[in-house]
Amino acid sequence: PAWGNTHQGRKGSELFSNTFFFSLFLLGERLAKPERGKMRVHKISNVNKALDFIASKGVKLVSIGAEEIVDGNVKMTLGMIWTIILRFAIQDISVEETSAKEGLLLWCQRKTAPYKNVNIQNFHISWKDGLGFCALIHRHRPELIDYGKLRKDDPLTNLNTAFDVAEKYLDIPKMLDAEDIVGTARPDEKAIMTYVSSFYHAFSGAQKAETAANRICKVLAVNQENEQLMEDYEKLASDLLEWIRRTIPWLENRAPENTMQAMQQKLEDFRDYRRLHKPPKVQEKCQLEINFNTLQTKLRLSNRPAFMPSEGKMVSDINNAWGGLEQAEKGYEEWLLNEIRRLERLDHLAEKFRQKASIHESWTDGKEAMLQQKDYETATLSEIKALLKKHEAFESDLAAHQDRVEQIAAIAQELNELDYYDSPSVNARCQKICDQWDNLGALTQKRREALERTEKLLETIDQLYLEYAKRAAPFNNWMEGAMEDLQDTFIVHTIEEIQGLTTAHEQFKATLPDADKERQAILGIHNEVSKIVQTYHVNMAGTNPYTTITPHEINGKWEHVRQLVPRRDQALMEEHARQQQNERLRKQFGAQANVIGPWIQTKMEEIGRISIEMHGTLEDQLNHLRQYEKSIVNYKPKIDQLEGDHQQIQEALIFDNKHTNYTMEHIRVGWEQLLTTIARTINEVENQILTRDAKGISQEQMNEFRASFNHFDRDHSGTLGPEEFKACLISLGYDIGNDAQGEAEFARIMSIVDPNRLGVVTFQAFIDFMSRETADTDTADQVMASFKILAGDKNYITVDELRRELPPDQAEYCIARMAPYNGRDAVPGALDYMSFSTALYGESDL
């Protein structure tokens, strides 16, 4: 009877007590004196009645009857007694859906885990030192045993202490003998198990509280994890937005530099940004989207409200800011290249301006003084005529230089239009040349008028000198132009351009024989003059009064022209070689880009197909995608190699490439999209696995959902329109009619799967809806009921109760967030667990 009292409120406990002790009584009677004769018949009848009653309670008795018991069959009688014990004392014990024996062992391990020197692994030798029994009692009733004074080397004291306390305070009878347990190498497993089950039943109320505490801990752990994910998202979003905020002004800074070296440094800084600084941020942005999607999936799976980031930190805000970054980035690179072209053009023009200005200034040196001479006042007639002819030759020379002055002005104007940094000095020099040119024109006109007035007094002039001067001046000007052209710097960007310059140079060389003939003719005129002077003893002082150009100068300049021709040949050959190298770089880049570009496009299309196909389990698909991602990442060296070729092209100032339609920008954007797409696809499958495992969806159901979704996703966009989605639901057995009721039901479903009213349903939203319709989840009511158990059926809970029943971190989590309880039955320090439970599921605010 004492054993029966330990099962308070448990159905069948009294029955267990009676049948158990009745069986012991039968055993004792039969083993003491087996019966014969008429008395045996009556006893068989009595035992049969007891066996029928035991069988009616679900106890299966195999190969045993009343005769075996009455006749004293010890083995079969003991087997029957163990079957009864299993049925009424052990069979209904289950922890976390394990078998009765495993469940009882797991319960013992959990309860004794914090205790030193206790290691429960079985139901025999693990209990020999008695500490296991004492630990069970102390865990639930610490005031009954001073566990700290127990010693592992004193098993008899430990066992007797446990047995005495259990019998006196817990109403558990002494079923075991301490001396037998200590003196046996392996105590009887069934006896230990039967006795331990009495402790389990005695502490069943505490077990119920533990189950409730486990449920609450699970729910709180989900909330704590979600809050940490939200904090991580907010920090990552803030850091990324701050980086974008700092970077965009740098990319939008269009302040030009004055030198090619400074602009080249800016271009190198931009390359470092593209190679070193931006790629990690691309990964952070992708990870941010993955974290956001994973967090939203976890919130949906745990029936929590969707996460709403702080203002300005939505994924769309990040994407908008990123779009602004890429727009600024694109414009910045284009501006850099244009500035480099402009500076290159400016340097070339400035050098050309200085060269032409120096030549012109050298020519004009002393011309003003010459035009202001009064030599004609004392000159002879022949000298006057000579001065007049000389002046005519000078005018011819002056007219020939008009083109150079116009070129100098045009170059200065172009430098101004291209915003050359040293334009003030260029303009000042140009203005000085123009002012001097105007003055030369005025002085020339004034001197001509003076000579023409004097010409009437003079009769003759040496025509031969005049002819020499007229032919020598243009030829001299031609030679100066030729020297200028041969020394002119050039900028080309293609082989065709250098070939054009080479052709022009060859054409110039073809004119040299005719020019040499003209030179010989001019020298012949001078020789004729010398002959006439010698023949007629003309007093010409050995000089040509019409020109300062001497045969020595003509020969010297002609020799200079001949020396400049091979130098020009060499410069053109070197430039041709450089353009051939540039063409090789173009072809090398084009060959790689024409492979990498289509490869990226093909991989994008393959990922799109993989994301909608079904091959194997979700784990198989995930492994496939991860292998696929690995193969894509392994392709990165080819992208890096192409980046290196692109850098060589930019360093060589190559601005176009006819061998490919792909630019480095195209390849970069495609590569970043490819990495982002495979990462997102992997994340989608991971979220599907989370959904499947959390909601208990089988692989067959998941395949059925995917097959139905793909069937109606005819454009392979990964989304369904409203009508496609309705057809998909109908195919899965949803009764959505065309009447008002059906339309209302469909509108309700659409508000769940498309809360933002975008007009499309993603596969993840579809899976979330199907899992919500087909699976059970924790609810606020369930959590509230668990708290009610911990609170001893009160409408409030205390701080001590929370700290006693929950782990420390989760207990403090509840204490910090629970509002005070204000009901009529409130006590000081009472907390409202009901409003806290609803807030966990978004039904109110924490």
Side-chain angles (χ1 to χ4, degrees), residues 808-819:
D809 60 331
Q810 295 187 335
E812 298 306 321
Y813 179 85
C814 293
I815 294 168
R817 287 164 174 77
M818 279 188 183

Side-chain angles (χ1 to χ4, degrees), residues 125-187:
I125 61 175
S126 293
W127 303 86
K128 285 190 66 175
D129 58 12
L131 291 178
F133 295 112
C134 293
L136 283 179
I137 296 172
H138 185 268
R139 177 64 184 270
H140 296 92
R141 296 287 298 278
E143 75 280 4
L144 298 181
I145 291 180
D146 188 352
Y147 189 84
K149 294 184 177 180
L150 301 178
R151 301 199 320 273
K152 186 175 180 64
D153 59 358
D154 189 5
L156 279 176
T157 300
N158 298 339
L159 289 168
N160 284 321
T161 297
F163 295 163
D164 292 341
V165 169
E167 183 177 41
K168 183 176 181 181
Y169 297 103
L170 303 178
D171 292 331
I172 298 175
K174 288 186 179 180
M175 302 180 191
L176 305 174
D177 183 81
E179 287 76 7
D180 288 344
I181 293 177
V182 173
T184 304
R186 178 186 170 106

Side-chain angles (χ1 to χ4, degrees), residues 770-790:
M770 294 305 298
S771 64
R772 187 179 304 166
E773 295 292 308
T774 58
D776 293 330
T777 59
D778 287 335
T779 65
D781 290 340
Q782 291 174 327
V783 175
M784 203 180 302
S786 299
F787 272 117
K788 195 175 185 68
I789 293 174
L790 299 186

Side-chain angles (χ1 to χ4, degrees), residues 10 36 68 115 219 447 771:
R10 294 182 56 84
R36 296 291 187 272
E68 285 79 2
Y115 290 87
V219 172
R447 182 172 177 81
S771 64

Side-chain angles (χ1 to χ4, degrees), residues 492-509:
V492 295
H493 297 96
T494 65
I495 288 181
E496 289 77 13
E497 292 178 1
I498 191 63
Q499 287 175 343
L501 290 177
T502 302
T503 301
H505 182 60
E506 293 298 324
Q507 292 173 351
F508 167 76
K509 290 195 293 185

Side-chain angles (χ1 to χ4, degrees), residues 513-572:
D514 291 338
D516 191 44
K517 290 179 181 179
E518 177 66 9
R519 181 182 67 87
Q520 294 293 343
I522 293 171
L523 294 177
I525 294 173
H526 184 269
N527 292 336
E528 186 66 22
V529 170
S530 298
K531 186 185 295 185
I532 292 174
V533 169
Q534 292 175 4
T535 301
Y536 296 101
H537 304 287
V538 178
N539 185 18
M540 300 297 295
T543 61
N544 190 332
Y546 307 119
T547 181
T548 60
I549 302 172
T550 67
H552 178 74
E553 289 177 352
I554 290 176
N555 286 334
K557 291 181 180 180
W558 176 256
E559 186 61 29
H560 192 200
V561 168
R562 292 185 60 191
Q563 292 174 357
L564 289 175
V565 169
R567 296 179 189 174
R568 185 74 168 184
D569 288 335
Q570 181 64 30
L572 290 172

